[in-house]
Structures are given as C-alpha cells and as structure tokens.
Amino acid sequence: MKTYFEHGDKAINAQLLVILLVELAKQRGVQADKLLKGTKLFQQDLAKPQLRISHQQFVKLISNTLKYLPQADIPFLLGSRLFPMYLGAIGQALKHTRNIESMIRVVTCKQLAIFPFMFMRSAATKQHKYLLFNQAISNESREYQRFMTEMLVSLLVSIAKQKDIPVSRIEFKFPYEKPNHIEQYQAYLPVAYRFSNAAESSFSSLQVKFDLGLVKTELADSNPVLTAHYLKQTTREKQNVGFLQFMMQRLSEQLTNRGDVSLEWLAEQLGYSAATLKRKLASHGTSYQQLIDSMRQQTAVFLLTEQGFNNEKIAHELKFSDITNFRRSFKRWTGMTPSHFLEMASRTS
Amino acid sequence: MNFTTISLHRHLFAYLMMSVVIVCTCAFLIGDLKPKAQFDWLDAMGEGGITLMTLVWIFFTLVSRPAGRVTNLLFVGLLFTHISMLLDFLDEFLRYPENHEWLTTVESLPAPIGMVMMSIALYHWHQEQSAINNQLRRTERYYREHSLTDFTTGLYSADYMKHQIKLEINHAKSQQTSFSLMMFDIRQFSLFNQEYGYQHGDILLREIAQIILMNIRDGDLACRYASDRFIVLMPHTHQNVAVEIERQTKRAIEHLAYKHDNTSCAVYPDVISCSHQYRGWYSYEEVLQDINRQLSHAKQQKEVKIPA
C-alpha cells in the first residue's frame, strides 16, 4: 500500500496555477510555449478537465518562469491571486471558517488541494502558536524553494486579509537570508518578518508565529454551516501525500516514540530494500542522514530559540545520550555552538 | 524580439525589394558574366559581407523605429548605401561592355548621397531624442537601463531607485546636502482587484503613476516600488517642501475618478503617503527600510482615526 506520491508521479492538480502563470507571462510578453518548454505540457493540455501533473513538470515550469520572467513580484502576484477564486470550493470553505483553529483543520485535511508543494505542522509554546512549512515532495534548488515560499506567504496573507485577521500580530520567519528584492516583502506583507542567518538556512522551514489567543478569535465571514457545505463538495478521494512529507512524518513519529531509527528500519517499513530506499531518497534530492539532520536541527532550533530550553533539556528531548554529543551535532548542523547560535539569532531579529 | 513595428513599414520593405531587383536585373542585362577563373573570391566575400551588413542595418532600423520622417530619411540613406555596395559586389562577377563603362563610375555615387542623407537623419534623430528625453524627465535621471523598467506602469522599478538613492547618498555625503523621499501606497488595492479584475488594477496603477509624474517637479524621480507602492526621490529637498508636495500629490490621486466601464460610475483611490528627509550618513537599505516603516506608521494612524 503506497500512500505517498513521488517526484515523477502525476498527482498534483495545479491546473489553475499553471493557467494563472501562463496568463501572467502573456501579459508580460512571454509566450506560453516558451514557459512550457521542457515541461511536456502543451497549451491545449491546460483546457483539459482534471489535468494532473508531476512535481518534476512543475519544477521545470518554475525554473522556466525564473528564467523568462525574472521579475521578483511574480510569486507574490500568483499567491495573492490564488485565493479565494482559484481554490474553488475549498477557497469558499476557508473563507467561512470560524477561527484559525478550524482553518488549520481544513488546511490539514485538504492540503493536497490547496498547496501540495509544502506541508504544514503546528507547534505551540505557552504564549505562541507556530505553523511550520517544509517541502513536501522533493528537495529542489534554493531559487525554487524561495519562489514557492514567497508564493505561499502571499497566499497566507491574502487569506488573512480576507478574514480580517490582525496581520500585525503575525510574524513570519523565512528559511533563507534577506534577499535583494526586499521591496516586495515590504509592499506585499503587512506583517512582521525576519530572515534566517546563513548558519541555519540550509535546513530550516518557513515559520509563522502568532499569539495563542488569536487561535480561537472569531473571524470575519464566519459561517460553519457554509464551511461544512463547501467541504462536502470537495472530492473525497484518498489524499496521498508527497514523498518527503511521508518520510518525515514517519520518521518523526518513530523518533518521538522510540528514539532510534535507521535507514534499514525505514526501508523495512516501506517494503523496500535499503538500496532501493537510498536510490529513491537520492532521486528526491536528499538522503537518510540529511532527513534526520534537518528534522533534528529544526526541532533543536525551535526548542532553543522559541521554547527557551537549555542544552540539557534539548538533548533529552532529542534523545541524545549526553550534552556533549548534542553540542557536537548542533555544531555540525549550523557551524556554531547552541549558545553562540542563540546570540546570533537574537542579534538578527 | 518585438516585431510589432514591421507592419508599419510594409511599403518601405517593398521599395527595398524593388530597388534590389531592379539593380540586379539591370546589372545582369548590361553586363556579361566573367569566366570563373577571373573571380576574386576574397574580394567578393568582403564586399558581399558589407552588402549583407547594410541589409541587416536596414532591417534593425525598421523594426526598432515607428514610421515617420526620421525613419524614412534613415531608410533612404541606408538604401542608397546598400545599392552602392550591391553594385560593387556584382562587379566582381560581371564585366560591363565598353560603351557602358559609365556604370563603374556611377556605382560609387549613391553611397555618398546616402551618407549625407543619413547624417541629416541622425541630426533629426538627435532632436527627436531630446524631445523624448524631455518626456522622460521625472522618470529618469542621467542613467538608462531598459531592463529595469516596470512592465505595468512604465516607470522604473525599485532596483533603479536603489541605484539612484545610492548615488544620492554619496552626493549628500560629499556635498553635505540632503534629499527627501516620499512614498505612496494605495489602500484596499487587493479588494479593487478582486472586484474589477486584475486588468483594471493594472490600468489604475498606470494612471496613478501618471498623476504622480504630473505632480512632482523636474529633477524629481518617481519609480514603482512594488505592488501598489510608489516611491519618489527628491534631491536637495527640505522636509517642509517634501511634505507640501506629498500633500498635493496625495490630493491629486484622491481626486482621480477611475471608471471601470462605460458608465459615469467612478472609484476614487484611497492612498496612504509619507515623506522624510535624509542625509548622507545612512546606507540605502536603511533609508528604504525607514521610509517603509514611516509608511506603515501612517497606515496605522489612519486605521486608528477611522472609527473615531
């Protein structure tokens, strides 16, 4: 039983996004065939109902976009235009959710239909709620990752604006360093935001942070009956998840339950040989070690900077045998010790 | 490449074809082909190359210019030069009979005439360019880089502004002067887009860009910052003056009666604005961050005011 899809599987319904992108390109004098070059998609395909494409095709489309439409506002424009019209019934369901909590529930259930490229986890401290977004299918270039992140935040902001969520109480933390086109962030994102420093940016995720109190605040256009109504209209098919998402969720369950995992264990769980799993991971731009490292680094950085845990507690949380071991691993991930890292983080924010 | 101007020049292309055909037929009718042994290939290649290049110049002149007097002059000048080169090239393969020796003398005649005409055309082009530069004032300062223009509004984009602010900061540092920045942000622009469509959103942005240009002074520079945000650089400007111009421009934008279809129903844009004076001791990033902060501050103030 395979409940995930791979880089090359035609599992993504990104038709409207592709149409939107092609339209935008036309407006800026770039022909559709140029944008679709190498994607194995043709203009007439765009009109087909229920067109599904693979992540591979999508990545090629975005790399064409970065090449022929290098203007920095493209991902922001796309994101802001996705909601609510282009999301169809799910957009309507989201539009009428009662509060952020029910919004998170809808997004978790319908993630594949809303934004299949990244998956969401949530976390909380005593005062704050966090939403963390990671690549769901495969590891791609930094430019691709930034493009998709920008599109996602622009989508989130347009949803928040529509629902009258006080955006000034939200903070974004981007998994990369401050880009040159900072003006787009200033104009499109009426929220607080900061960027990662070079040390952590390789493994980190997009983080959205807000007061815990905001989670249950009643929002504009709230109408639970309508939400239920529109949710019923959405397809009830089995929702596969992306390859990376599946692997990371499996691993993190196992890490919290048992604390020890291995490549062999994971392969056995999936019914593959270790060699096959290795090859599959490699074709998704990652490796077993990299997956484990990125998950542990993300947790460690979160516990360190947001929860304010000390080294001992973090080492315990991450099931390290002792603090020295944890400190050594942390240094391997980020290039600096936890205390030095904390100092850097407080300076950049 | 953009070939939209080609259709404007169909008749010029026809003239070009006709002249080339006439020249070739005449030459072949009058002259006889030389025996192959007498061909000087090196010479032929050189002259053929030049002939071809003049054709390329004609082509690029036509695709990059609108129709008009200057274009016609340039075309005729280049055409004459081209005919000279063509005759010269054909010379390599043809021998003219004794009684038509005049052809060899005549062949070099069109080139100087063409060059004189092109010189006249370039002079007019210079004048045309000054007129265009005059139109471009307030959108450009001493430096041209077409890749930095914003597609929607026709103004330069934020990158151009960054470059100009860098220059201005250097200037302010060395000359002990100061400059002012002013910023405009259209409120509820995303709602406008959702209600009337993105095409109308783009047209609105373009019209607002025009209004800003009309309300600033020569020597000021307006750029589109990002999304619905515009920025204006005012060199050697004191805060008081900047505030006054900001107020005037804001009023002008708020009085734009934008009509989205053929009725008299109008939408009036709502803008937030701010302006501030800077000296040379900041980096351009700090300056831009500060002006954006001032804008969000102005936005918050306005939001507070509304319910009261």
Side-chain angles (χ1 to χ4, degrees), chain A residues 27-29 71 73 80-81 83-86 161-162 168 178 180-184 186-188 190, chain B residues 150-152 158-159 162 185 190 194 198-199 202 224-229 285 288-289 292 299-300:
Chain A
Q27 276 172 21
R28 303 203 172 184
Q71 299 94 341
D73 61 337
S80 66
R81 292 183 184 186
F83 181 81
M85 299 182 280
Y86 286 93
K161 271 187 187 166
Q162 179 94 36
S168 51
K178 187 174 163 185
N180 280 331
H181 52 272
I182 187 71
E183 65 274 5
Q184 305 294 339
Q186 289 163 343
Y188 276 95
Chain B
D150 167 61
F151 192 84
T152 312
D159 281 331
K162 285 180 196 163
D185 186 283
S190 51
Q194 273 171 29
Y198 296 103
Q199 240 158 2
D202 284 356
R224 184 182 181 196
Y225 192 63
S227 181
D228 50 2
R229 207 167 273 201
E285 283 152 319
L288 282 174
Q289 197 171 358
N292 275 287
K299 207 181 242 177
Q300 276 162 16

Side-chain angles (χ1 to χ4, degrees), chain B residues 56-75:
Chain B
V56 172
W57 293 347
I58 291 178
F59 176 76
F60 277 106
T61 307
L62 293 189
V63 291
S64 48
R65 289 195 46 92
R69 190 166 53 114
V70 178
T71 311
N72 289 343
L73 261 173
L74 275 174
F75 171 77

